[in-house]
Amino acid sequence: MARSLKKGIPHVALLGYLVVVLFPFLFVLFSSVKKDNNAIALNPFGIPKEFVFNNYVEAWVNAKISTYFFNSLYISVLSSVVSILLASMFAFAVTRMRQGKWNKILFSLVLIGMLIPNNALMLPIYTIVRKLHILNTHWALIIPYIANAIPFTIIILAAFMRSLPGEIEEAAVVDGLKAPGIFARIIVPLTVPAMVTVFIVNFLGNWNEFLLANYFLSNDELRTLPVGMVQFRDQYQMNYAQMSAGIVYSVLPVVIIYAILQEKIIEGVTAGSVKG
Amino acid sequence: MNKSLRNPLVFTLFILPALLLFLIFFIYPIFSSLYYSLTSWNGVSDTVKFTGLNNFEKALGDDRFWISVKNNGWFILFSVFIQVPLIVLFSLLIANVKKLKGLYKTAVFMPSIMSTAVIGILWGFIYEPNIGLFNKVLGVVGIEPVYWLSDERFAMLSILITNAWQWTGFYIVMVLAAILSIPGELDEAAAIDGATGFQRATRITLPLIVPIISVVIMLSIAGAMKAADIVIVMTKGGPAGSTEVMATYMIKYAITNFKYGYGNAIAVLIFMFTLVVTALYQLLFARRNERIEY
């Protein structure tokens, strides 16, 4: 009896923490199908008495969540793919090609990028983007997102490529492949697992980014989901049921990705931060 | 056979795109910030007037700037003295339970993968004075509604709680990974010697995870120094500037008020303060950070 009681105490504490983590989500989920503020106020904790799914339709159509959603989706995917492409070329060159000390110098230079608090660089980047005449276009986000992900992506991919055995190139050279061929046909296919991890981490970072997205775009049609949501809240301040539906839209894709890939996400995110 | 892997032209073509982006978006901005911090410029006109250290003098004499510094300080203190002990406690608890370990680990991490902006909105709803969750809970015990985000006394605390809610699980998973990589024999040997669970946690596990705790503290400090989006979304720096942090103050000046030079001076100060705080921490606490061998 005393033994099982002792075993139970940690679970009580942990389940308490779990409730603190999960209850806000549940609160929003329930609120999103309640009729109006009154229904939320009368019954803030419980399951709704009647389910009003119209909130989701209203949020998706009238509040243009659909527009923001697809903006976010394509900006995040494009930026993540391009940064992986460029970073893997760089990582291949400095880990597998033979350029003596240059390999080390270039790699260390990029490492510095992990130490720089990046939102202190926001103002100069704003100026660069304006000088390139891409302010208020999607490129104003895509290019900085690509650049921003490069140090982390290079570090993870380089670590992975270094661990591949050296005989691979020897065999490939005997078969008549040149460096680009070795990269495209041998190293990249072998690096796919690491690329998947890095892709997810970069994708989540871009999907969630707020500061640049908020200040570099002023055209409503171009906005991304986090910025669109903040705007939506400011406009519909009084309609908490619809706002909750909007929150569900922006959280749901991330939760689904996380549910499927949580091991890889945790691994990737923590790897990056420990090294940073 | 090495010739094709030594081809300097191919090497250059492979590194160039990433390197260029890195130089343009990381290295150049640092120097650009330093330069413009010494000027009075509105960010758009053709004339850039060099004003030496004026901006820095102005910032150091600016009360509102110091409020923002103090608020970054609150972020640091809250994470080091409230979050870190909780992180260590919960990591130890999760490491030592057998059932539901996977569930705890997966669930606690979830808030960390979400957009800070959306979390700000979600918690704004929770803090809502009339229908929000917090006041409803307090109402059950008979406490009058509190205006969490619009009362100067509570606004900063409300933001800190939300920030902790978002990031605690992230660090728990890091610390947990370190605990689980400690060889089990150490713990078993101590158990055979009759050490209780509590003794094993404090005498064996805890000393072995000091390095990772140190990393967590460093990361929290870095995170505290760049906090911005959560403040912008939840309070926009208000009420009456009471929740302004350095980064939001920087943005407000440079982009909203067209004081680009002054904004860059604040950016440089963020850099310098971060350096000083992390260096101080390293000097005072992380010296004995020798590598641990099992």
Side-chain angles (χ1 to χ4, degrees), chain A residues 205-220:
Chain A
N206 297 335
W207 178 267
N208 291 334
E209 205 282 332
F210 177 75
L211 286 183
L212 302 192
N214 190 39
Y215 291 101
F216 290 15
L217 302 177
S218 46
N219 187 340
D220 187 49

Side-chain angles (χ1 to χ4, degrees), chain B residues 67-143:
Chain B
I67 291 177
S68 76
V69 175
K70 194 184 76 192
N71 284 335
N72 281 105
W74 282 122
F75 264 100
I76 294 177
L77 291 177
F78 196 86
S79 43
V80 173
F81 292 102
I82 296 182
Q83 248 181 294
V84 169
L86 285 175
I87 290 164
V88 174
L89 174 71
F90 283 117
S91 307
L92 287 170
L93 287 177
I94 296 177
N96 286 311
V97 297
K98 297 214 167 55
K99 281 181 200 154
L100 300 179
K101 190 182 274 183
L103 170 73
Y104 293 137
K105 188 177 151 189
T106 311
V108 300
F109 193 78
M110 213 168 76
S112 316
I113 54 163
M114 261 162 325
S115 166
T116 305
V118 171
I119 286 179
I121 298 171
L122 194 160
W123 275 79
F125 183 19
I126 290 171
Y127 288 131
E128 209 280 336
N130 300 312
I131 62 171
L133 194 58
F134 249 49
N135 280 350
K136 287 286 170 189
V137 175
L138 294 181
V140 172
V141 243
I143 296 175

Side-chain angles (χ1 to χ4, degrees), chain A residues 22-36:
Chain A
L22 298 180
F23 204 75
F25 291 119
L26 214 59
F27 175 57
V28 162
L29 193 65
F30 285 164
S31 301
S32 74
V33 286
K34 286 177 183 168
K35 193 164 160 265
D36 49 24

Side-chain angles (χ1 to χ4, degrees), chain A residues 42-99:
Chain A
L42 286 175
N43 176 22
F45 306 105
I47 298 166
K49 292 194 179 64
E50 48 171 338
F51 288 81
V52 185
F53 292 107
N54 199 34
N55 291 330
Y56 283 87
V57 181
E58 291 284 314
W60 185 258
V61 181
N62 294 351
K64 286 192 289 193
I65 297 281
S66 58
T67 310
Y68 308 138
F69 189 94
F70 289 112
N71 286 340
S72 271
L73 190 66
Y74 113 85
I75 291 174
S76 309
V77 171
L78 183 62
S79 313
S80 312
V81 169
V82 176
S83 48
I84 286 182
L85 181 72
L86 302 184
S88 63
M89 285 163 59
F90 187 99
F92 169 75
V94 299
T95 58
R96 310 300 291 193
M97 291 186 74
R98 288 157 208 188
Q99 296 293 328

Side-chain angles (χ1 to χ4, degrees), chain B residues 130-190:
Chain B
N130 300 312
I131 62 171
L133 194 58
F134 249 49
N135 280 350
K136 287 286 170 189
V137 175
L138 294 181
V140 172
V141 243
I143 296 175
E144 289 289 298
V146 176
Y147 286 75
W148 292 100
L149 294 173
S150 47
D151 185 328
E152 278 182 49
R153 288 171 301 168
F154 299 110
M156 197 62 215
L157 178 69
S158 306
I159 290 178
L160 292 174
I161 290 172
T162 306
N163 188 57
W165 180 83
Q166 185 179 8
W167 293 111
T168 302
F170 177 85
Y171 294 123
I172 287 178
V173 169
M174 276 177 62
V175 176
L176 192 59
I179 296 176
L180 296 177
S181 70
I182 298 171
E185 297 92 61
L186 285 173
D187 213 43
E188 280 160 29

Side-chain angles (χ1 to χ4, degrees), chain A residues 14 33 67 73 105 111 115 117 126 132 141 147 168 176 189 213 230-231 247 253 261 264 269:
Chain A
L14 288 170
V33 286
T67 310
L73 190 66
I105 294 172
L111 269 179
L115 304 172
Y126 182 77
L132 292 172
L141 300 185
I168 289 176
V230 171
Q231 217 188 8
I247 294 177
L261 297 165
K264 272 202 172 317
V269 175

